[in-house]
Amino acid sequence: MMVTWSMNQDGWVNQSKVASRLWVPVSLFLFLLCLGMASTAQAEEAPESLKSVLLELHQWDQDPVLIAAIEEQNAKNVSIEQIKQRDHQWMATSDVDDFMNQLMNNEAAQHLFELESSQPYFLEMFLTANQGENVAMTNKTSDYWQGDEAKFTQAQTPGQLYVSDVEYDDSTMTYLVQVSIPMLKNDQVIGVLVVGINLDELP
C-alpha cells in the first residue's frame, strides 16, 4: 500500500490513511478519493524514530549539489525512448559498465556517499531526473529508469515524502524502507532522491 508523509501543524502525518481530519485540505481529500483511499478513517502516526529521519530528509530537497546534477541531466532533453532503451541495456548487464561507473563516481554520487555515511541507518541512495532516469547512485540499481515505479510517481508533490512498504531483506536479515524526496527548484519538482533506510538501525 502507498504511504505518503507530509508535515503540518500536528507534525508528520500519514496521508494515505487520512480522510476525516479537519486540517486536511479539500484538494488532498479529492486526491485521496480519486485513488480510492478516502474511506480509511484514522490517521496513522509514524514511529518517533522514523519521524525524525523524515524531518532530516525533508531538509535535503533543495541540496545545491543534487539540484545542479538534476538540472544538468534535465537540460539534455533526452527522449523517453532513449531512456527506455538504456533501461533495457542496463537490466541486461550483469556487471557494472562504464556508464554505471560514471553515475557512481560523479560529483552528485560522491555527495550521496557523504550523506549515506552520515548515519548508520542510511543504505543505498540514488537520484533521478525529471523523467525518472538515474543521475547518481551509491550502488548499482536494478534498473536505470524509475519513472514507472511508485518511488518516483508518488514523489511528485513538493514537500510530500513517499515511504515504501517495509520489506525484509533475507541477505542482511533487516527490515528496510525506501523514502522518496521530491527535489525542488523554484517550488517545482525537478527530480527525486530515493534513500534506503535500515529500520533495525534507527535509534
Side-chain angles (χ1 to χ4, degrees):
M1 180 186 68
M2 181 186 73
V3 181
T4 53
W5 294 89
S6 64
M7 175 75 77
N8 72 359
Q9 68 269 24
D10 297 325
W12 285 106
V13 177
N14 179 344
Q15 291 187 339
S16 64
K17 292 190 175 182
V18 171
S20 60
R21 293 286 290 274
L22 294 178
W23 54 262
V24 179
V26 173
S27 59
L28 176 59
F29 179 83
L30 292 176
F31 174 69
L32 293 175
L33 182 62
C34 291
L35 291 177
M37 297 178 189
S39 61
T40 55
Q42 300 296 324
E44 180 179 299
E45 296 296 330
E48 290 300 321
S49 56
L50 182 56
K51 284 185 184 180
S52 63
V53 176
L54 294 179
L55 183 61
E56 177 181 2
L57 296 179
H58 188 265
Q59 308 306 311
W60 297 359
D61 64 0
Q62 298 182 63
D63 184 288
V65 175
L66 303 182
I67 292 297
I70 295 172
E71 289 188 303
E72 181 180 352
Q73 176 63 24
N74 289 346
K76 296 177 181 178
N77 293 315
V78 181
S79 71
I80 192 63
E81 289 76 18
Q82 291 173 298
I83 292 172
K84 289 183 178 181
Q85 182 178 13
R86 172 75 74 176
D87 188 52
H88 289 309
Q89 295 172 346
W90 184 291
M91 291 188 290
T93 303
S94 58
D95 54 358
V96 177
D97 61 20
D98 291 341
F99 179 70
M100 296 171 189
N101 266 318
Q102 291 176 18
L103 298 188
M104 289 192 289
N105 289 281
N106 58 28
E107 183 179 359
Q110 295 304 313
H111 188 51
L112 290 180
F113 277 115
E114 293 174 1
L115 293 174
E116 184 178 304
S117 62
S118 67
Q119 298 291 349
Y121 45 78
F122 290 144
L123 297 174
E124 72 167 358
M125 297 185 182
F126 57 92
L127 184 69
T128 81
N130 63 358
Q131 297 187 84
E133 73 272 32
N134 285 356
V135 173
M137 57 189 183
T138 58
N139 299 92
K140 178 185 175 182
T141 56
S142 59
D143 51 5
Y144 171 65
W145 182 52
Q146 319 300 327
D148 60 345
E149 300 180 29
K151 68 185 71 172
F152 178 81
T153 62
Q154 301 299 332
Q156 297 300 312
T157 303
Q160 183 169 295
L161 279 60
Y162 167 78
V163 182
S164 72
D165 289 337
V166 176
E167 296 184 358
Y168 183 74
D169 188 325
D170 290 327
S171 62
T172 60
M173 295 186 293
T174 55
Y175 289 94
L176 313 173
V177 296
Q178 286 185 322
V179 178
S180 300
I181 306 137
M183 302 300 291
L184 307 180
K185 182 66 179 288
N186 298 325
D187 295 323
Q188 298 295 316
V189 179
I190 64 171
V192 173
L193 171 62
V194 181
V195 177
I197 296 178
N198 180 350
L199 297 180
D200 293 334
E201 291 289 342
L202 288 177

